[in-house]
Each structure stands twice: as structure tokens, then as C-alpha cells.
Amino acid sequence: MTSTIEIDRLHKRYGTRIALHELDLAVRPGTVFGLIGPNGAGKTTTLRTLVDVIRPSSGSVRVLGVEPRLGGAALRRRIGYVPGELHLEGRSSGHRMLAFYAQVSGERDSAATLRTARELADRLGVDLSRSVRTLSKGNKQKIGLIQAFMHRPELLILDEPTSGLDPLVQREFLQMVREAKDAGQTVLLSSHVLSEIQQTADEVAVLANGRVVAEGDVASLRLGSIRRIRAEIAIPDAAAAAAAFDRVPGLTGLEVHPGDGTLQLAGTIEGAIDPFIKALAPFEVRDLTVEEPDLEESVLRLYGSAAASPAPDAESGAARGAASDVEPGAAAGAESGVASRSASRTDPATVQDAPPSRRARRARGDRR
């Protein structure tokens, strides 16, 4: 079976900085593939390469069987893309902006695409009648999600898609991803939120310093095996209780704070949590919190040597050099998620709402 995304020895260099080190990756059709890693790992550089915003220094990339640099607008119409830094501006309403995107981003009837957009807006709770520039970051992010999903593309490329969304909307988004998979669409999801990957992804790759340090299904990578714990128990003899928890396997960094007839515990569990729960069982538990640590901490603990090595080639440096490698107009189209590069070079909202004299000056190339 041909992979939806095939990345072979992808290498990206910005001057002396290396963002990607001969990356190999394959995403099967109809699956949700999670791409995770700390900041500077190379996630955004990889995704921008797939939509031809950034071009490789070496190696090859094929998306839906086509090289991104050769696919043009026809390929981009088959992709829904949400960039990591979404910029939506202009005086037009959300509905008007999506109507423009509907005309350029798919082979489906634009009226049907707009109906889907309105249904998604209802699900995500965004008012499409409002001017885009007046929307909050979270509501702009919802518009970005709608334009990516509304034409039901074969491939969804989503870079930190839940940034700025509240927990209820995040849950609705995850349901949208599941529905896309059930409809046969392929989803490539980059995230810092481990629980998003655990709930939706079939396979996952862990990136660190531009390299894949682990790849496989979520369970085999043990990404959920590290947890932070906090507990408060009622106990008259705090010293004796603290000694009992010192013997719990996998519990590290234990902090003990005696109180008035209570004992507060905090630490990190790696592996099974059952021994810690059994250690709590003899006591009256007044409070208990179990949460996943930051993704970066998980990666460092599980894949420490590769993830913790110095990273002079971090994406922060890559981003500064990206402009020199981007074809004029490409970045604007990809950042807005518009399928057509030529259509996306100018913000439709600005053009449609500008007074005639401004449009005339723009047509002449007069920027004064």
C-alpha cells in the first residue's frame, strides 16, 4: 500500500544550522499519525516542507504520491492545513472569508462546502458574522480549523491545532479528527499535548533535535508511563508514613511535607501506578492528583540521550532563515491554509473590503 506521506532522508539546513537530520517517515492512508517532541525538535519544519512552504536541502518528500514542489494548486486542494502560527486578519466576516476559501480549496460544490463550514462553526461555537480581526485568538483558531476541514480533504496536516482552544472545544476537535479518520481521511497531527495523541493517534513519532528518536504505536512507546502525583493523607505519625512511600518502586523525586495531622506527598511515577495506590490504601486519602508531565519531560526521561543533546540547530534558528528558502507568495498561502498559492498571495478580506482608490493603487503596484 502506497503511503499518503513518504519522507526519505529529509535534510534541512539554514546556513550553519540544521533543522532536520535525514528524517525518514511514512504515514499510511486512513490513519491518524501523531508527531510529538519538545520545542525546536523539527516538527513545524517537517510540516511546512510537506506543503511546500519550505523546501528540503536534500532528501525527498512525496505527499499523496506527488512531490510538493511539483504538485501546485491541484495538490494543495487535496490538503487541509492548519499552521502552527495562524494569522487571520481583515475586515471581512468569518463567513465571507470561508466563502472565498470554499471557492479555491476543493472540487466539491462550494455551496456544500459552506454548509459544512456552518455546521462546523456551530459545533465549535464561533460566530461567523463577526469581523475576523475582532475575534479572539481562540476564535481565529476555530476559523482556521473550519477552513482545513470544510472541504473534506484527503489529507489533514495540523500543526498544534488546539492552541488557544478551551477544553470543551478541544474535545470537539478530537471528535472531528476521529470522524475524519472514519471517513477515510489521513491526519498528520503535531502536538505538545500528550493526551491528544494518546486519544486519537494510531501511530506516533517522537522528534528530538531534528531526528526521529522513537516511532510506533502509542502503547509501545510508553509515553503515558510517566505521571506526576500529589496526595494528602491523614496520619498521626508522619515519619512512619513517609518511610512507607520511600519503598514504592518507580517513585522518584519524592517531596514530603508534614502538616497538622496530615502528610502531603509529591513526586513522579515511572511505570505502573498500582504500587503507589496500594501504598495509599491504609490511609485516609483527603486529596489525590495524577497528571501527565510536560511533553518535554516525558521525552527526556524516555529518550534522554538524543533529546537532551545540545541543539544549536534548533527551529528557532531555522525560522530566522526560512524566508530565504520560501518561494514568494508561498508562505502567505500556507499560513492562511488556502489551497491555491496564487489566490492566497493577497488577503481576500483586505481586497474585497478596501475602497476603490486603494484597490487601484494596489493594482498599479503603488504601496504608498
Side-chain angles (χ1 to χ4, degrees), residues 8-354:
D8 182 34
R9 300 177 68 84
L10 176 62
H11 193 82
K12 182 59 186 176
R13 177 188 293 273
Y14 300 94
T16 60
R17 298 178 181 273
I18 301 176
L20 297 174
H21 298 262
E22 299 190 345
L23 194 70
D24 291 324
L25 210 61
V27 179
R28 295 181 292 111
T31 62
V32 179
F33 193 98
L35 195 62
I36 63 176
N39 289 327
K43 303 185 301 300
T44 294
T45 297
T46 302
L47 299 189
R48 288 179 176 177
T49 302
L50 298 178
V51 292
D52 199 31
V53 173
I54 292 175
R55 291 189 169 174
S57 300
S58 63
S60 65
V61 176
R62 297 184 71 84
V63 178
L64 297 168
V66 181
E67 292 184 33
R69 68 170 64 191
L70 302 178
L75 175 60
R76 287 187 285 277
R77 290 190 183 102
R78 301 166 67 189
I79 300 171
Y81 175 51
V82 176
E85 295 182 4
L86 180 65
H87 299 290
L88 295 179
E89 298 298 337
R91 290 176 293 179
S92 78
S93 66
H95 184 274
R96 191 173 182 180
M97 180 173 286
L98 291 172
F100 171 80
Y101 292 163
Q103 293 176 351
V104 299
S105 62
E107 298 178 358
R108 296 179 65 211
D109 176 57
S110 60
T113 299
L114 272 178
R115 283 195 298 272
T116 303
R118 287 192 288 267
E119 292 170 1
L120 292 172
D122 290 339
R123 291 178 63 176
L124 296 175
V126 59
D127 183 359
L128 296 182
S129 66
R130 292 182 56 189
S131 171
V132 170
R133 68 179 178 179
T134 68
L135 297 177
S136 65
K137 173 178 168 43
N139 281 322
K140 287 180 180 179
Q141 190 73 11
K142 294 174 188 178
I143 297 288
L145 290 173
I146 292 169
Q147 65 80 26
F149 277 80
M150 67 182 185
H151 62 294
R152 297 176 184 171
E154 297 172 56
L155 171 63
L156 285 157
I157 299 176
L158 310 175
D159 190 2
E160 305 288 347
T162 59
S163 174
L165 301 182
D166 63 66
L168 289 177
V169 177
Q170 290 178 20
R171 185 168 60 185
E172 190 63 41
F173 162 75
L174 295 179
Q175 182 59 32
M176 289 165 54
V177 171
R178 296 186 191 100
E179 291 170 4
K181 176 188 172 182
D182 292 342
Q185 297 167 263
T186 306
V187 182
L188 177 57
L189 172 62
S190 165
S191 180
H192 277 130
V193 184
L194 199 54
S195 58
E196 289 181 359
I197 301 298
Q198 290 174 317
Q199 292 179 53
T200 58
D202 301 298
E203 297 178 81
V204 62
V206 180
L207 264 63
N209 292 330
R211 297 180 173 89
V212 174
V213 295
E215 186 176 2
D217 61 87
V218 175
S220 68
L221 295 181
R222 301 183 298 114
L223 292 173
S225 66
I226 298 174
R227 307 170 184 87
R228 288 204 188 101
I229 55 93
R230 290 192 301 273
E232 181 179 348
I233 59 177
I235 180 69
D237 187 352
F245 288 99
D246 283 336
R247 296 189 293 270
V248 174
L251 179 58
T252 59
L254 182 62
E255 298 179 6
V256 180
H257 302 286
D260 186 11
T262 65
L263 185 67
Q264 293 183 344
L265 306 164
T268 301
I269 291 276
E270 182 171 350
I273 198 170
D274 183 63
F276 176 70
I277 298 300
K278 288 179 177 176
L280 286 176
F283 308 103
E284 177 189 343
V285 180
R286 294 188 175 178
D287 189 29
L288 176 62
T289 302
V290 180
E291 61 184 15
E292 65 183 31
D294 294 338
L295 179 60
E296 186 164 0
E297 181 178 337
S298 297
V299 172
L300 287 173
R301 280 178 171 269
L302 294 174
Y303 311 105
S305 58
S309 59
D313 47 356
E315 277 188 88
S316 58
R320 289 194 295 271
S324 62
D325 291 293
V326 179
E327 182 178 331
E335 286 296 313
S336 64
V338 181
S340 169
R341 183 190 301 265
S342 60
S344 65
R345 287 181 179 175
T346 306
D347 183 352
T350 303
V351 171
Q352 293 172 11
D353 290 329

